[in-house]
Amino acid sequence: MQNLLSFLFIAYTTLSSSICFGQSTSILANENGLVLQYKKLDKIGSRYDEYCKTTFDIYQVEGTVINNNSDKAAMVTAILSFEGQACNKIYSNDAPAGGEVINKMFNLDIAHLTKHQTQYWVNRYVHLLPNDSMIARGYVEVKQGEQVPDPDKYFTYELIPSQNTSSTVNVEGKTSANQPVKPDNNTSKYNSLILGEWYFNSLTYEDENGKEVVETDNSGKYVIKSDGTAIQIAYDKKYNIRWEISENEIHFIYEDGLKIIREILQLDNKRMVLQGASESVMGFMKFTYTKK
């Protein structure tokens, strides 16, 4: 009986350790008070691909960035890249459609996919305030029965210390020292260039096989005004939004509180190219607009 109990205890301990290991958190970086963590979550399903005649398991992955500094905010770029598998579709005029299983990179861009809101700190937007954190989830596909590999990371950051001269204006119009200051759009080099009517020209992204896809349309536009408001027209729907620029990012804030962040890749008197992350393609999408 004692041997049986010992066996059951060992089996339970082994099983518990296995379950915890699958959900364990791995620290990928710990630098200057910033911690980058990764966790592989449970399998959320499987799908059978008709082209490759292969079943793929779908796993959730989670990335977290923590700012443990008590006196510094942070601007962060944190991208985790997982090498999973996908079906490369093959089309032929002489034979039925088929495919081959290939390796595919699934990217989790934590700063762009997180629901955490950027906030004001010492005259600029920041991803993380002191003692703050952000978290994002994505998915990775692998062939059935295989495990998600550990990710490669791209991790850069800028720490912004507090300033004793900073101040903020509260609702009563008073100021208090050592508090964040709301940035002024007029300080941006892009402020005058971005004003006007911008018509959607093209959308560029990579499909699941890594092939560049370009979609063109003329159904959307932005009307960006100098008072910080804008109108977006997309598929015959009109949205009243606010816009703010921080460094090389433009933030569109909708009436329901949704905030969309786009990196400004190019902006001049005639052309605007913005880039942003997308959950639908697990990568970046590039939006091109022209001014008329």
Side-chain angles (χ1 to χ4, degrees):
M1 182 66 178
Q2 183 175 2
N3 291 336
L4 176 60
L5 291 175
S6 299
F7 172 79
L8 292 176
F9 176 78
I10 294 172
Y12 172 78
T13 304
T14 303
L15 178 60
S16 299
S17 300
S18 175
I19 293 174
C20 292
F21 177 78
Q23 292 285 331
S24 64
T25 299
S26 299
I27 297 178
L28 303 179
N30 189 351
E31 306 173 11
N32 296 318
L34 292 178
V35 179
L36 172 62
Q37 298 180 170
Y38 151 69
K39 181 188 294 184
K40 185 188 77 173
L41 303 177
D42 295 329
K43 185 175 76 171
I44 60 175
S46 300
R47 69 173 184 87
Y48 179 74
D49 193 288
E50 289 287 348
Y51 287 92
C52 284
K53 310 299 181 186
T54 302
T55 298
F56 295 93
D57 289 338
I58 306 171
Y59 285 89
Q60 271 197 321
V61 291
E62 179 182 280
T64 305
V65 181
I66 303 170
N67 181 15
N68 288 321
N69 291 288
S70 60
D71 59 346
K72 298 181 182 70
M75 291 294 294
V76 177
T77 300
I79 302 174
L80 305 183
S81 297
F82 302 84
E83 187 175 353
Q85 288 85 43
C87 180
N88 182 32
K89 297 178 176 61
I90 301 173
Y91 302 92
S92 172
N93 294 327
D94 303 322
E100 61 178 347
V101 177
I102 61 172
N103 292 334
K104 175 186 174 181
M105 299 305 296
F106 293 81
N107 294 319
L108 178 63
D109 190 326
I110 299 174
H112 283 85
L113 293 178
T114 182
K115 295 181 180 180
H116 180 81
Q117 297 294 312
T118 55
Q119 301 186 57
Y120 300 125
W121 173 263
V122 190
N123 298 315
R124 61 181 295 185
Y125 276 109
V126 295
H127 291 132
L128 293 174
L129 292 173
N131 299 313
D132 197 2
S133 64
M134 60 182 174
I135 186 171
R137 288 184 176 181
Y139 72 91
V140 178
E141 293 190 7
V142 295
K143 288 195 300 184
Q144 189 174 45
E146 297 192 6
Q147 295 297 312
V148 176
D150 290 334
D152 292 327
K153 70 177 187 297
Y154 179 75
F155 184 49
T156 63
Y157 55 87
E158 177 188 1
L159 293 175
I160 301 98
S162 60
Q163 297 177 1
N164 293 331
T165 58
S166 64
S167 61
T168 187
V169 179
N170 62 22
V171 293
E172 296 177 351
K174 301 177 182 178
T175 61
S176 57
N178 301 319
Q179 295 294 327
V181 178
K182 180 176 180 178
D184 185 354
N185 277 335
N186 293 325
T187 64
S188 171
K189 64 181 180 180
Y190 296 120
N191 183 71
S192 59
L193 291 173
I194 204 168
L195 303 180
E197 295 189 12
W198 292 96
Y199 291 80
F200 177 75
N201 180 265
S202 65
L203 169 65
T204 306
Y205 60 93
E206 289 187 355
D207 66 13
E208 60 183 13
N209 301 318
K211 181 180 178 181
E212 185 177 80
V213 177
V214 180
E215 298 180 2
T216 58
D217 197 345
N218 59 0
S219 62
K221 73 173 182 178
Y222 282 105
V223 181
I224 300 180
K225 305 176 183 179
S226 60
D227 62 355
T229 65
I231 297 173
Q232 181 189 15
I233 298 176
Y235 302 104
D236 297 326
K237 291 186 178 180
K238 179 180 176 182
Y239 303 91
N240 294 312
I241 59 179
R242 293 183 293 110
W243 65 274
E244 297 168 337
I245 288 182
S246 174
E247 298 296 323
N248 65 330
E249 290 183 345
I250 182 168
H251 299 194
F252 295 113
I253 303 98
Y254 290 75
E255 292 180 311
D256 61 359
L258 173 67
K259 177 182 287 188
I260 294 178
I261 300 174
R262 298 281 185 250
E263 180 183 1
I264 300 173
L265 299 182
Q266 178 184 346
L267 180 57
D268 54 39
N269 292 321
K270 293 294 183 180
R271 181 180 172 88
M272 176 170 66
V273 182
L274 307 177
Q275 178 174 267
S278 169
E279 293 184 3
S280 59
V281 300
M282 287 303 295
F284 289 106
M285 305 181 80
K286 186 164 64 178
F287 306 82
T288 302
Y289 299 84
T290 54
K291 184 182 287 188
K292 296 181 180 179

